[in-house]
Amino acid sequence: MEVFVFTLGLTEAWVDRRDGAVFPIAPGVAGGVYDPSLVSFHNFNLTETISDLKAALRFIRGQNPGVKIILTVSPVSLNATMEDQHVAVATAYSKSVLRIAAQEMADTVSDCVYFPSYELITSPVTRSSYFAEDGRSVLEAGVEHVMRLFFHHFGVGSAHTTLSPPLIDEANLRTQNHVSKMSQVIDALCDEEALRND
């Protein structure tokens, strides 16, 4: 691996009481069985998030010292929260913690940068035009805008980043018909998105 792109999504999780394993959604929602004697809800704070992210990047660099790192924050809001507050308030907390943690890493870890996909979608300048009617799902036009800027800054011939070699040659991908629709580029679904279907 030459480049690792890591999109931070949420701070709410469930922790296994036996070994400390962390799950992004409660067991029983998308598999397994929920047993409160085995797992507990935890909303990670800023100190914990920075510590965990730093440890994760240190581990990755331990395996591959030359890997370049690009951090982003998902613009998709939480679908639900375990906190005793409105989901909009929980979302603001979660995204704020993740955004600060990402910036801390970009400021202190070599060959690590932050790409503002979160800001590109959620900025007041866009007047929510990149969100579907549910106010949560990002429309294809928004994803294409983010990816166009991503390729501009991290593609072949970019002068805006210290990351090299170039990540992706957009023209080559288009030639190979890999970027005709974002569903062909990114075929991943956040774990918490599974809550929508339950």
Side-chain angles (χ1 to χ4, degrees):
M1 160 170 81
E2 295 177 349
V3 178
F4 179 67
V5 181
F6 191 178
T7 299
L8 308 174
L10 47 88
T11 55
E12 294 190 15
W14 280 259
V15 179
D16 193 306
R17 298 177 190 274
R18 297 165 296 183
D19 61 7
V22 177
F23 308 101
I25 57 176
V29 174
V33 176
Y34 181 74
D35 183 344
S37 70
L38 298 180
V39 295
S40 62
F41 171 75
H42 186 76
N43 197 359
F44 287 86
N45 64 33
L46 179 59
T47 301
E48 292 168 321
T49 302
I50 289 174
S51 177
D52 287 347
L53 186 54
K54 191 177 294 184
L57 299 186
R58 189 181 307 118
F59 174 80
I60 292 167
R61 283 272 170 77
Q63 307 302 308
N64 185 346
V67 69
K68 314 298 189 230
I69 299 165
I70 300 173
L71 298 174
T72 67
V73 173
S74 168
V76 179
S77 63
L78 277 68
N79 190 43
T81 179
M82 278 292 291
E83 296 287 3
D84 186 19
Q85 59 189 4
H86 193 280
V87 71
V89 177
T91 294
Y93 169 83
S94 187
K95 300 303 180 179
S96 297
V97 166
L98 297 175
R99 179 62 186 88
I100 294 168
Q103 191 63 52
E104 177 72 13
M105 295 304 97
D107 290 344
T108 60
V109 176
S110 63
D111 286 328
C112 177
V113 297
Y114 174 76
F115 179 74
S117 56
Y118 175 80
E119 291 81 355
L120 288 168
I121 298 299
T122 64
S123 170
V125 173
T126 65
R127 295 179 177 86
S128 299
S129 61
Y130 289 144
F131 284 109
E133 287 184 22
D134 65 4
R136 184 170 181 274
S137 302
V138 179
L139 296 171
E140 187 171 328
V143 177
E144 288 178 350
H145 180 197
V146 167
M147 295 307 295
R148 184 170 53 253
L149 288 173
F150 183 89
F151 289 132
H152 172 75
H153 289 282
F154 296 113
V156 172
S158 170
H160 303 288
T161 180
T162 58
L163 294 175
S164 62
L167 298 185
I168 300 170
D169 181 344
E170 185 179 14
N172 186 40
L173 284 175
R174 288 191 188 282
T175 302
Q176 297 174 33
N177 295 320
H178 289 155
V179 193
S180 60
K181 291 187 179 247
M182 288 318 303
S183 61
Q184 295 172 328
V185 177
I186 302 173
D187 188 21
L189 190 63
C190 292
D191 288 328
E192 60 92 20
E193 186 74 8
L195 293 172
R196 276 176 73 169
N197 302 321
D198 290 345

